């Protein structure tokens, strides 16, 4: 079984959450991200599971909810 995350969709979700909280990208500095790194996340750059959990914590969103509908599972034929 192969798992594939659509990072562009995840980045759009990050942006939506940030804007819903009336945050600007510079606000992520207080959560341990550099602005440049966070910009890359919002633009869809692939990132680690650790980074995913850090973003989840920053927005106080359950990780399962954050990735719902974005994780694709491919089963061998």
């Amino acid at each position: 079984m192969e798992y594939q995350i659509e990072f562009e969709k995840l980045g759009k979700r990050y942006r939506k959450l940030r804007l819903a909280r009336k945050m600007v990208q510079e606000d992520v500095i207080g959560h341990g991200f550099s602005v440049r790194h966070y910009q890359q996340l919002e633009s869809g750059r692939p990132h680690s599971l650790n980074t995913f959990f850090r973003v989840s914590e920053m927005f106080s969103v359950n990780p399962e909810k954050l990735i719902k509908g974005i994780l694709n599972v491919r089963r061998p034929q």
Side-chain angles (χ1 to χ4, degrees):
M1 195 174 328
E2 180 182 327
Y3 295 93
Q4 181 179 354
I5 298 172
E6 295 186 40
F7 286 102
E8 287 183 22
K9 289 182 182 178
L10 191 57
K12 288 178 183 178
R13 189 162 292 173
Y14 292 166
R15 183 175 193 276
K16 184 177 178 181
L17 286 166
R18 179 178 57 78
L19 294 174
R21 285 158 177 76
K22 298 183 178 10
M23 294 171 67
V24 294
Q25 289 181 335
E26 288 77 11
D27 293 331
V28 303
I29 294 170
H31 298 277
F33 291 96
S34 72
V35 174
R36 179 69 184 133
H37 182 216
Y38 186 77
Q39 288 170 339
Q40 291 172 339
L41 298 177
E42 281 194 7
S43 71
R45 182 176 180 170
H47 52 282
S48 70
L49 190 56
N50 183 52
T51 298
F52 168 76
F53 283 121
R54 288 176 54 212
V55 173
S56 173
E57 185 176 297
M58 177 174 67
F59 291 128
S60 300
V61 174
N62 184 304
E64 291 86 4
K65 183 178 180 182
L66 187 57
I67 203 164
K68 187 175 182 178
I70 294 176
L71 180 67
N72 294 319
V73 179
R74 295 184 186 183
R75 300 187 186 274
Q77 298 182 10

